[in-house]
């Protein structure tokens, strides 16, 4: 049919007009669509020109025959029965991804990951990403060293490679789900013209690995539901997805449906099906009860989820049904699928009937899990910066919605397709440009930090250190000043540590209590309160707050070291050994951890082990003060006064910078004779 009734003109005008108008307004809260304001004016001119073309196409009364022919030709080649065209598309996209590699990595934990993986043998282990982190480490090993440069290269290689897998998978998914080439082009442009492309432009993130495995799971599952082939490979791909990131659990409903399909559940007799449904509902109810119970009883579980009706102290307005969180979800949808409003409009305008086949059921149950994840999980550094964590949650709902376009294909013609392609290209193009352009990415990140205020202190620290590393000292001081204004409580935290160092333990305890009362979810505040109680010998209270801090920050080596010091002071040397060993496992580079471990073994009469630790300290630093002190106590235990005096004199020479220098000197004055 050549006649076109301008069905999508209204949403096209609304989206492009709204996005374009934000060039003149400072709208930090609309971070999913406000990218033009950070770019030079030439981008605004290009945007306006592209918008005019897109609107003109959407407003034409008749379909352009040449566009129709072009669309059908592209679709016929790309979704033929040959494997080569999708591979060529994926390779072409991968080359573009590589050539456009990002220079800055503000979104997500980019700079934190570079720092963590660039510290030699030390790197962080996260239970939520059991395989992703070792994979990055493995690529670093292949590159020959564990430096910041190899960390950056490893992330970039993984990012670009995963881009190839994702593009190829989506090409297959689109072929399986959609019937006409016009609809297929719309869906393909929805993914290639999406903000998620930034994940594959050499950006320092772990989520490209999750995207690669999760899209593989979707592609294989859809094939199984349509052809009945490959059930076991579907399950394996799901397990692999979980190993990349445990958020893949929200796809468990899809796995259950695949299993029921394999067991031919839907063809069982009515009574058997009823029993199965009751069992599934009972299991789901028990799982929901378990989550609620865990939320109410375990701090480490509680902080994963958003509060229901009132936010936490650092961000009181950020909760499940809070305006800011719901607006963030809308921003995410506009960022990942900028043309989704047009497709929603078409589906409702065309009154598409609900599809009830196995594929629709699969996408539907996966959508329920991913939507719940998006709604209740706390993006701790703000969704605007942590959008990569949530990005995949929209894929199944989007595919489920678009699957119903098959019912209204009469409303879709080539004019609409190319108008849609231009719209997605414009909106995602300015987003990607704002993150590839160094100055624009700096300004955009600053706007996100201001938008989330005190929710994302880590981001402020990263932003300040970024300018310090670039030797932009004036900008560094400016950001540092704003950081202090946003987080005045950290000045008090510094006062508490100063009071501990100067022996003003009562003052330190008062400040620490005030900080914890103000925000009991900050590991830094719980840690200093634990230290303050330890200074007073109130070991039970100190242990309580250290345990709470470790629940919030379980992979912190310094925090586990403090826990070891607590148990050492308490005389619980076995517990101290366990804490110090865990701290050393997390960060082998910390000499004071080895010293605490050696001293704990000494008090447990494992003298040979303590001696080995002392030698290990000397292997890293031949003048190690900690090594000398271990030799002092070991020599005194053997009544070897000469050796003790020698190492004590060496400690006096090389240990002057230690906080305990004067105390240690006073304790061993008799060795100076």
């Amino acid at each position: 049919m050549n006649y076109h009734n301008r069905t999508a003109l209204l949403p096209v005008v609304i989206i492009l007009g709204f996005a374009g108008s934000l060039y003149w307004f400072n709208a930090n809260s609309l971070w999913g669509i406000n990218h033009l304001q950070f770019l030079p004016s030439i981008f605004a001119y290009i945007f306006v020109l592209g918008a005019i073309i897109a609107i003109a196409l959407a407003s034409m009364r008749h379909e352009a025959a040449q566009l129709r022919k072009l669309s059908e030709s592209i679709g016929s080649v790309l979704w033929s029965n040959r494997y080569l065209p999708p591979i060529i598309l994926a390779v072409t996209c991968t080359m573009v991804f590589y050539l456009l590699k990002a220079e800055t990595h503000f979104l997500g934990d980019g700079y934190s990951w570079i720092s963590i993986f660039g510290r030699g043998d030390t790197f962080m282990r996260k239970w939520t990403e059991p395989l992703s982190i070792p994979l990055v480490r493995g690529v670093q090993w292949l590159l020959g060293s564990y430096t910041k440069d190899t960390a950056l290269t490893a992330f970039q290689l993984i990012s670009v490679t995963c881009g190839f897998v994702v593009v190829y998978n989506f090409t297959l998914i689109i072929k399986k789900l959609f019937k006409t080439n016009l609809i297929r082009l719309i869906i393909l442009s929805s993914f290639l013209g999406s903000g998620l492309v930034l994940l594959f432009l050499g950006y320092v993130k772990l989520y490209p690995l999750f995207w690669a495995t999760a899209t593989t799971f979707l592609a294989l599952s859809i094939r199984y539901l349509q052809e009945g082939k490959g059930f076991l490979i579907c399950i394996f791909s799901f397990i692999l997805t979980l190993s990349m990131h445990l958020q893949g659990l929200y796809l468990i409903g899809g796995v259950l449906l695949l299993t029921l399909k394999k067991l031919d559940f839907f063809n069982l007799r009515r009574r058997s099906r009823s029993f199965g449904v009751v069992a599934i509902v009972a299991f789901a109810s028990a799982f929901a009860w378990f989550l609620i119970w865990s939320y109410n009883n375990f701090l480490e579980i509680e902080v994963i989820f958003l509060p229901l009706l009132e936010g936490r102290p650092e961000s009181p307005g950020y909760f499940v049904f809070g305006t800011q969180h719901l607006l963030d979800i809308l921003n995410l949808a506009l960022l990942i699928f900028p043309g989704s409003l047009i497709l929603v409009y078409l589906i409702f305008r065309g009154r598409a009937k609900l599809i009830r086949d196995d594929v629709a059921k699969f996408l539907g149950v996966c959508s329920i899990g991913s939507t719940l994840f998006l709604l209740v999980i706390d993006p701790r550094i703000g969704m605007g910066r942590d959008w990569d964590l949530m990005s995949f949650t929209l894929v199944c709902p989007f595919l489920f919605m678009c699957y119903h376009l098959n019912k209204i294909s009469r409303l879709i013609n080539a004019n609409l397709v190319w108008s849609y392609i231009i719209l997605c290209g414009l909106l995602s193009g300015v987003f990607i440009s704002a993150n590839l352009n160094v100055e624009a990415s700096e300004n955009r990140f600053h706007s996100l930090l201001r938008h989330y205020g005190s929710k994302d202190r880590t981001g402020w620290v990263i932003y300040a250190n970024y300018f310090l590393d670039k030797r932009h000292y004036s900008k560094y001081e400016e950001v540092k000043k704003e950081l202090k204004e946003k987080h005045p409580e950290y000045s008090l935290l510094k006062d508490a540590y100063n009071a501990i160092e100067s022996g003003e333990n009562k003052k330190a305890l008062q400040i620490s209590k005030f900080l914890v009362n103000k925000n009991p979810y900050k590991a830094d505040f719980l840690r200093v309160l634990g230290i303050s109680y330890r200074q007073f010998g109130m070991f039970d209270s100190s242990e309580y707050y250290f345990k709470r801090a470790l629940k919030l920050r379980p992979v912190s080596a310094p925090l586990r070291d403090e826990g070891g010091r607590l148990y050492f002071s308490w005389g619980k040397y076995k517990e101290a050994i366990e804490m110090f060993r865990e701290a050393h496992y997390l960060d082998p580079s910390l000499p004071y951890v080895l010293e605490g471990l050696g001293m704990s073994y000494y008090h447990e009469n494992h003298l040979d082990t303590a001696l080995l630790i002392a030698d290990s300290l000397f292997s890293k630093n031949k003048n190690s003060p900690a090594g000398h002190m271990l030799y002092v106590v070991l020599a005194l235990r053997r009544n070897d006064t000469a050796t003790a005096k020698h190492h004590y004199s060496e400690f006096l020479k090389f240990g002057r910078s230690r906080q305990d220098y004067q105390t240690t000197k006073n304790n061993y004055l008799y060795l100076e004779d």
Side-chain angles (χ1 to χ4, degrees), residues 32 63 124 130 153 164 209 287 297 309 345 371 399 405 423 437 505 521 527 529 531-532 581 591 600 659 664:
E63 182 181 52
M124 185 168 69
T153 302
F164 170 86
L209 288 164
F287 182 70
N297 290 276
L309 298 174
Y345 184 84
T371 303
L399 289 175
L405 291 175
L423 180 144
N437 180 290
N505 294 328
Y521 298 99
R527 175 186 179 183
L529 183 55
I531 294 172
S532 299
R581 288 181 65 180
S600 300
Q659 293 180 359
T664 304

PDB file of all heavy atoms in Angstrom, residues 32 63 124 130 153 164 209 287 297 309 345 371 399 405 423 437 505 521 527 529 531-532 581 591 600 659 664:
ATOM      1  N   GLY A  32      18.802  11.630  30.005  1.00  0.00           N
ATOM      2  CA  GLY A  32      18.663  10.657  28.930  1.00  0.00           C
ATOM      3  C   GLY A  32      18.504  11.275  27.558  1.00  0.00           C
ATOM      4  O   GLY A  32      18.598  10.579  26.548  1.00  0.00           O
ATOM      5  N   GLU A  63       4.070   6.937   0.186  1.00  0.00           N
ATOM      6  CA  GLU A  63       5.343   6.253   0.392  1.00  0.00           C
ATOM      7  C   GLU A  63       6.265   6.472  -0.805  1.00  0.00           C
ATOM      8  O   GLU A  63       5.845   6.369  -1.966  1.00  0.00           O
ATOM      9  CB  GLU A  63       5.101   4.762   0.586  1.00  0.00           C
ATOM     10  CG  GLU A  63       6.368   3.966   0.869  1.00  0.00           C
ATOM     11  CD  GLU A  63       6.071   2.485   1.023  1.00  0.00           C
ATOM     12  OE1 GLU A  63       5.413   1.919   0.131  1.00  0.00           O
ATOM     13  OE2 GLU A  63       6.498   1.911   2.027  1.00  0.00           O
ATOM     14  N   MET A 124      40.385  -6.336  42.634  1.00  0.00           N
ATOM     15  CA  MET A 124      39.195  -6.595  43.425  1.00  0.00           C
ATOM     16  C   MET A 124      38.429  -7.799  42.887  1.00  0.00           C
ATOM     17  O   MET A 124      38.344  -8.007  41.683  1.00  0.00           O
ATOM     18  CB  MET A 124      38.289  -5.361  43.421  1.00  0.00           C
ATOM     19  CG  MET A 124      37.062  -5.487  44.318  1.00  0.00           C
ATOM     20  SD  MET A 124      36.214  -3.907  44.543  1.00  0.00           S
ATOM     21  CE  MET A 124      35.573  -3.651  42.896  1.00  0.00           C
ATOM     22  N   PRO A 130      31.385 -13.194  38.970  1.00  0.00           N
ATOM     23  CA  PRO A 130      32.405 -14.217  39.235  1.00  0.00           C
ATOM     24  C   PRO A 130      33.343 -14.513  38.073  1.00  0.00           C
ATOM     25  O   PRO A 130      34.496 -14.884  38.293  1.00  0.00           O
ATOM     26  CB  PRO A 130      31.571 -15.454  39.605  1.00  0.00           C
ATOM     27  CG  PRO A 130      30.210 -15.204  39.038  1.00  0.00           C
ATOM     28  CD  PRO A 130      30.019 -13.729  39.088  1.00  0.00           C
ATOM     29  N   THR A 153      43.700  -1.387  27.838  1.00  0.00           N
ATOM     30  CA  THR A 153      43.692  -2.148  26.585  1.00  0.00           C
ATOM     31  C   THR A 153      42.811  -3.387  26.698  1.00  0.00           C
ATOM     32  O   THR A 153      42.061  -3.716  25.771  1.00  0.00           O
ATOM     33  CB  THR A 153      45.126  -2.559  26.206  1.00  0.00           C
ATOM     34  OG1 THR A 153      45.938  -1.392  26.096  1.00  0.00           O
ATOM     35  CG2 THR A 153      45.148  -3.310  24.897  1.00  0.00           C
ATOM     36  N   PHE A 164      30.818  -7.090  18.608  1.00  0.00           N
ATOM     37  CA  PHE A 164      30.620  -7.997  17.463  1.00  0.00           C
ATOM     38  C   PHE A 164      29.564  -9.049  17.798  1.00  0.00           C
ATOM     39  O   PHE A 164      28.633  -9.291  17.012  1.00  0.00           O
ATOM     40  CB  PHE A 164      31.935  -8.676  17.093  1.00  0.00           C
ATOM     41  CG  PHE A 164      31.788  -9.786  16.089  1.00  0.00           C
ATOM     42  CD1 PHE A 164      31.796  -9.514  14.736  1.00  0.00           C
ATOM     43  CD2 PHE A 164      31.617 -11.101  16.505  1.00  0.00           C
ATOM     44  CE1 PHE A 164      31.638 -10.532  13.799  1.00  0.00           C
ATOM     45  CE2 PHE A 164      31.451 -12.129  15.593  1.00  0.00           C
ATOM     46  CZ  PHE A 164      31.470 -11.838  14.229  1.00  0.00           C
ATOM     47  N   LEU A 209      30.394  -7.880  28.555  1.00  0.00           N
ATOM     48  CA  LEU A 209      30.441  -9.338  28.665  1.00  0.00           C
ATOM     49  C   LEU A 209      29.060  -9.902  28.980  1.00  0.00           C
ATOM     50  O   LEU A 209      28.652 -10.935  28.441  1.00  0.00           O
ATOM     51  CB  LEU A 209      31.445  -9.745  29.744  1.00  0.00           C
ATOM     52  CG  LEU A 209      32.925  -9.551  29.386  1.00  0.00           C
ATOM     53  CD1 LEU A 209      33.791  -9.608  30.634  1.00  0.00           C
ATOM     54  CD2 LEU A 209      33.370 -10.602  28.379  1.00  0.00           C
ATOM     55  N   PHE A 287      10.019 -17.723  47.446  1.00  0.00           N
ATOM     56  CA  PHE A 287      11.201 -16.936  47.078  1.00  0.00           C
ATOM     57  C   PHE A 287      11.004 -15.465  47.433  1.00  0.00           C
ATOM     58  O   PHE A 287      11.912 -14.816  47.952  1.00  0.00           O
ATOM     59  CB  PHE A 287      11.472 -17.094  45.583  1.00  0.00           C
ATOM     60  CG  PHE A 287      12.702 -16.373  45.101  1.00  0.00           C
ATOM     61  CD1 PHE A 287      13.966 -16.820  45.464  1.00  0.00           C
ATOM     62  CD2 PHE A 287      12.604 -15.246  44.301  1.00  0.00           C
ATOM     63  CE1 PHE A 287      15.110 -16.153  45.041  1.00  0.00           C
ATOM     64  CE2 PHE A 287      13.732 -14.573  43.862  1.00  0.00           C
ATOM     65  CZ  PHE A 287      14.988 -15.030  44.240  1.00  0.00           C
ATOM     66  N   ASN A 297      16.603  -8.568  57.549  1.00  0.00           N
ATOM     67  CA  ASN A 297      17.521  -9.145  58.535  1.00  0.00           C
ATOM     68  C   ASN A 297      18.999  -9.042  58.176  1.00  0.00           C
ATOM     69  O   ASN A 297      19.837  -9.273  59.051  1.00  0.00           O
ATOM     70  CB  ASN A 297      17.175 -10.625  58.763  1.00  0.00           C
ATOM     71  CG  ASN A 297      15.866 -10.810  59.504  1.00  0.00           C
ATOM     72  OD1 ASN A 297      15.824 -10.766  60.736  1.00  0.00           O
ATOM     73  ND2 ASN A 297      14.788 -11.013  58.756  1.00  0.00           N
ATOM     74  N   LEU A 309       9.389   3.583  50.477  1.00  0.00           N
ATOM     75  CA  LEU A 309       8.640   4.834  50.585  1.00  0.00           C
ATOM     76  C   LEU A 309       9.484   6.042  50.958  1.00  0.00           C
ATOM     77  O   LEU A 309       9.025   7.178  50.840  1.00  0.00           O
ATOM     78  CB  LEU A 309       7.515   4.678  51.623  1.00  0.00           C
ATOM     79  CG  LEU A 309       6.450   3.617  51.284  1.00  0.00           C
ATOM     80  CD1 LEU A 309       5.481   3.457  52.441  1.00  0.00           C
ATOM     81  CD2 LEU A 309       5.702   3.990  50.018  1.00  0.00           C
ATOM     82  N   TYR A 345       3.183   4.285  20.400  1.00  0.00           N
ATOM     83  CA  TYR A 345       2.084   5.015  19.760  1.00  0.00           C
ATOM     84  C   TYR A 345       1.482   4.191  18.624  1.00  0.00           C
ATOM     85  O   TYR A 345       0.254   4.087  18.488  1.00  0.00           O
ATOM     86  CB  TYR A 345       2.606   6.355  19.235  1.00  0.00           C
ATOM     87  CG  TYR A 345       1.558   7.251  18.630  1.00  0.00           C
ATOM     88  CD1 TYR A 345       0.774   8.078  19.434  1.00  0.00           C
ATOM     89  CD2 TYR A 345       1.353   7.280  17.252  1.00  0.00           C
ATOM     90  CE1 TYR A 345      -0.181   8.912  18.878  1.00  0.00           C
ATOM     91  CE2 TYR A 345       0.399   8.100  16.685  1.00  0.00           C
ATOM     92  CZ  TYR A 345      -0.367   8.919  17.498  1.00  0.00           C
ATOM     93  OH  TYR A 345      -1.316   9.733  16.953  1.00  0.00           O
ATOM     94  N   THR A 371      11.942  -5.936  34.661  1.00  0.00           N
ATOM     95  CA  THR A 371      11.280  -4.701  35.096  1.00  0.00           C
ATOM     96  C   THR A 371      11.318  -4.572  36.610  1.00  0.00           C
ATOM     97  O   THR A 371      11.533  -3.472  37.151  1.00  0.00           O
ATOM     98  CB  THR A 371       9.828  -4.665  34.591  1.00  0.00           C
ATOM     99  OG1 THR A 371       9.820  -4.783  33.165  1.00  0.00           O
ATOM    100  CG2 THR A 371       9.154  -3.360  34.982  1.00  0.00           C
ATOM    101  N   LEU A 399      11.523  -5.904  23.220  1.00  0.00           N
ATOM    102  CA  LEU A 399      11.259  -6.946  22.228  1.00  0.00           C
ATOM    103  C   LEU A 399       9.832  -7.479  22.347  1.00  0.00           C
ATOM    104  O   LEU A 399       9.173  -7.764  21.338  1.00  0.00           O
ATOM    105  CB  LEU A 399      12.263  -8.091  22.388  1.00  0.00           C
ATOM    106  CG  LEU A 399      13.703  -7.801  21.957  1.00  0.00           C
ATOM    107  CD1 LEU A 399      14.605  -8.977  22.293  1.00  0.00           C
ATOM    108  CD2 LEU A 399      13.776  -7.472  20.468  1.00  0.00           C
ATOM    109  N   LEU A 405       4.296  -5.596  16.715  1.00  0.00           N
ATOM    110  CA  LEU A 405       4.274  -4.853  15.454  1.00  0.00           C
ATOM    111  C   LEU A 405       3.904  -5.763  14.283  1.00  0.00           C
ATOM    112  O   LEU A 405       3.426  -5.292  13.247  1.00  0.00           O
ATOM    113  CB  LEU A 405       5.636  -4.200  15.191  1.00  0.00           C
ATOM    114  CG  LEU A 405       6.049  -3.041  16.124  1.00  0.00           C
ATOM    115  CD1 LEU A 405       7.470  -2.604  15.807  1.00  0.00           C
ATOM    116  CD2 LEU A 405       5.087  -1.867  16.000  1.00  0.00           C
ATOM    117  N   LEU A 423      15.782   9.588  13.353  1.00  0.00           N
ATOM    118  CA  LEU A 423      15.525  10.021  14.737  1.00  0.00           C
ATOM    119  C   LEU A 423      16.446   9.299  15.717  1.00  0.00           C
ATOM    120  O   LEU A 423      17.084   9.934  16.576  1.00  0.00           O
ATOM    121  CB  LEU A 423      14.057   9.767  15.083  1.00  0.00           C
ATOM    122  CG  LEU A 423      13.609  10.171  16.489  1.00  0.00           C
ATOM    123  CD1 LEU A 423      12.181  10.706  16.452  1.00  0.00           C
ATOM    124  CD2 LEU A 423      13.670   8.976  17.457  1.00  0.00           C
ATOM    125  N   ASN A 437      33.595  13.228  22.909  1.00  0.00           N
ATOM    126  CA  ASN A 437      34.243  14.534  22.991  1.00  0.00           C
ATOM    127  C   ASN A 437      34.694  14.769  24.431  1.00  0.00           C
ATOM    128  O   ASN A 437      33.880  14.737  25.360  1.00  0.00           O
ATOM    129  CB  ASN A 437      33.257  15.621  22.549  1.00  0.00           C
ATOM    130  CG  ASN A 437      33.866  17.008  22.603  1.00  0.00           C
ATOM    131  OD1 ASN A 437      34.121  17.548  23.673  1.00  0.00           O
ATOM    132  ND2 ASN A 437      34.089  17.595  21.439  1.00  0.00           N
ATOM    133  N   ASN A 505      40.463  10.534  72.374  1.00  0.00           N
ATOM    134  CA  ASN A 505      39.550   9.440  72.053  1.00  0.00           C
ATOM    135  C   ASN A 505      38.090   9.782  72.342  1.00  0.00           C
ATOM    136  O   ASN A 505      37.187   9.334  71.632  1.00  0.00           O
ATOM    137  CB  ASN A 505      39.951   8.184  72.829  1.00  0.00           C
ATOM    138  CG  ASN A 505      41.299   7.660  72.377  1.00  0.00           C
ATOM    139  OD1 ASN A 505      41.669   7.789  71.212  1.00  0.00           O
ATOM    140  ND2 ASN A 505      42.058   7.079  73.307  1.00  0.00           N
ATOM    141  N   TYR A 521      24.467   3.862  56.946  1.00  0.00           N
ATOM    142  CA  TYR A 521      24.756   3.030  55.783  1.00  0.00           C
ATOM    143  C   TYR A 521      26.108   3.358  55.156  1.00  0.00           C
ATOM    144  O   TYR A 521      26.411   2.875  54.074  1.00  0.00           O
ATOM    145  CB  TYR A 521      23.655   3.189  54.732  1.00  0.00           C
ATOM    146  CG  TYR A 521      22.299   2.739  55.212  1.00  0.00           C
ATOM    147  CD1 TYR A 521      21.367   3.660  55.678  1.00  0.00           C
ATOM    148  CD2 TYR A 521      21.955   1.389  55.213  1.00  0.00           C
ATOM    149  CE1 TYR A 521      20.117   3.245  56.124  1.00  0.00           C
ATOM    150  CE2 TYR A 521      20.711   0.973  55.661  1.00  0.00           C
ATOM    151  CZ  TYR A 521      19.798   1.906  56.119  1.00  0.00           C
ATOM    152  OH  TYR A 521      18.568   1.490  56.567  1.00  0.00           O
ATOM    153  N   ARG A 527      33.335   2.402  60.256  1.00  0.00           N
ATOM    154  CA  ARG A 527      34.728   2.037  60.504  1.00  0.00           C
ATOM    155  C   ARG A 527      35.346   2.916  61.586  1.00  0.00           C
ATOM    156  O   ARG A 527      35.967   2.405  62.525  1.00  0.00           O
ATOM    157  CB  ARG A 527      35.529   2.160  59.211  1.00  0.00           C
ATOM    158  CG  ARG A 527      37.016   1.926  59.378  1.00  0.00           C
ATOM    159  CD  ARG A 527      37.760   2.218  58.080  1.00  0.00           C
ATOM    160  NE  ARG A 527      39.190   2.025  58.215  1.00  0.00           N
ATOM    161  CZ  ARG A 527      40.070   2.268  57.250  1.00  0.00           C
ATOM    162  NH1 ARG A 527      39.644   2.717  56.072  1.00  0.00           N
ATOM    163  NH2 ARG A 527      41.364   2.064  57.442  1.00  0.00           N
ATOM    164  N   LEU A 529      33.858   4.606  63.868  1.00  0.00           N
ATOM    165  CA  LEU A 529      33.228   4.338  65.165  1.00  0.00           C
ATOM    166  C   LEU A 529      33.780   3.052  65.769  1.00  0.00           C
ATOM    167  O   LEU A 529      34.023   2.978  66.989  1.00  0.00           O
ATOM    168  CB  LEU A 529      31.707   4.245  65.000  1.00  0.00           C
ATOM    169  CG  LEU A 529      30.904   4.049  66.289  1.00  0.00           C
ATOM    170  CD1 LEU A 529      31.219   5.145  67.309  1.00  0.00           C
ATOM    171  CD2 LEU A 529      29.404   4.023  65.992  1.00  0.00           C
ATOM    172  N   ILE A 531      36.808   1.911  65.305  1.00  0.00           N
ATOM    173  CA  ILE A 531      38.151   2.254  65.796  1.00  0.00           C
ATOM    174  C   ILE A 531      38.059   3.008  67.116  1.00  0.00           C
ATOM    175  O   ILE A 531      38.830   2.754  68.062  1.00  0.00           O
ATOM    176  CB  ILE A 531      38.901   3.101  64.749  1.00  0.00           C
ATOM    177  CG1 ILE A 531      39.168   2.284  63.487  1.00  0.00           C
ATOM    178  CG2 ILE A 531      40.222   3.627  65.321  1.00  0.00           C
ATOM    179  CD1 ILE A 531      39.740   3.090  62.337  1.00  0.00           C
ATOM    180  N   SER A 532      37.094   3.918  67.221  1.00  0.00           N
ATOM    181  CA  SER A 532      36.936   4.714  68.444  1.00  0.00           C
ATOM    182  C   SER A 532      36.603   3.831  69.632  1.00  0.00           C
ATOM    183  O   SER A 532      37.154   4.003  70.732  1.00  0.00           O
ATOM    184  CB  SER A 532      35.838   5.770  68.240  1.00  0.00           C
ATOM    185  OG  SER A 532      36.174   6.659  67.202  1.00  0.00           O
ATOM    186  N   ARG A 581      44.633 -12.447  56.982  1.00  0.00           N
ATOM    187  CA  ARG A 581      44.821 -13.264  55.777  1.00  0.00           C
ATOM    188  C   ARG A 581      43.852 -12.843  54.673  1.00  0.00           C
ATOM    189  O   ARG A 581      44.220 -12.780  53.497  1.00  0.00           O
ATOM    190  CB  ARG A 581      44.626 -14.745  56.121  1.00  0.00           C
ATOM    191  CG  ARG A 581      45.774 -15.346  56.943  1.00  0.00           C
ATOM    192  CD  ARG A 581      45.558 -16.801  57.233  1.00  0.00           C
ATOM    193  NE  ARG A 581      45.575 -17.601  56.016  1.00  0.00           N
ATOM    194  CZ  ARG A 581      45.409 -18.928  55.993  1.00  0.00           C
ATOM    195  NH1 ARG A 581      45.214 -19.585  57.123  1.00  0.00           N
ATOM    196  NH2 ARG A 581      45.447 -19.586  54.854  1.00  0.00           N
ATOM    197  N   PRO A 591      51.966  -3.639  53.393  1.00  0.00           N
ATOM    198  CA  PRO A 591      52.926  -4.217  54.343  1.00  0.00           C
ATOM    199  C   PRO A 591      52.393  -4.287  55.765  1.00  0.00           C
ATOM    200  O   PRO A 591      52.738  -5.206  56.512  1.00  0.00           O
ATOM    201  CB  PRO A 591      54.131  -3.267  54.240  1.00  0.00           C
ATOM    202  CG  PRO A 591      53.573  -1.976  53.727  1.00  0.00           C
ATOM    203  CD  PRO A 591      52.431  -2.354  52.841  1.00  0.00           C
ATOM    204  N   SER A 600      50.367 -11.718  64.858  1.00  0.00           N
ATOM    205  CA  SER A 600      49.323 -12.638  65.333  1.00  0.00           C
ATOM    206  C   SER A 600      49.841 -14.067  65.378  1.00  0.00           C
ATOM    207  O   SER A 600      49.584 -14.807  66.344  1.00  0.00           O
ATOM    208  CB  SER A 600      48.093 -12.544  64.419  1.00  0.00           C
ATOM    209  OG  SER A 600      47.563 -11.234  64.415  1.00  0.00           O
ATOM    210  N   GLN A 659      53.206   5.966  62.492  1.00  0.00           N
ATOM    211  CA  GLN A 659      52.452   6.630  63.555  1.00  0.00           C
ATOM    212  C   GLN A 659      52.805   6.073  64.932  1.00  0.00           C
ATOM    213  O   GLN A 659      52.732   6.790  65.932  1.00  0.00           O
ATOM    214  CB  GLN A 659      50.950   6.472  63.296  1.00  0.00           C
ATOM    215  CG  GLN A 659      50.457   7.222  62.058  1.00  0.00           C
ATOM    216  CD  GLN A 659      48.970   7.046  61.840  1.00  0.00           C
ATOM    217  OE1 GLN A 659      48.298   6.347  62.597  1.00  0.00           O
ATOM    218  NE2 GLN A 659      48.451   7.673  60.794  1.00  0.00           N
ATOM    219  N   THR A 664      56.481   2.662  70.013  1.00  0.00           N
ATOM    220  CA  THR A 664      57.354   1.485  69.885  1.00  0.00           C
ATOM    221  C   THR A 664      58.729   1.773  70.477  1.00  0.00           C
ATOM    222  O   THR A 664      59.320   0.923  71.174  1.00  0.00           O
ATOM    223  CB  THR A 664      57.491   1.084  68.406  1.00  0.00           C
ATOM    224  OG1 THR A 664      56.193   0.870  67.853  1.00  0.00           O
ATOM    225  CG2 THR A 664      58.318  -0.177  68.259  1.00  0.00           C
TER     226      THR A 664
END
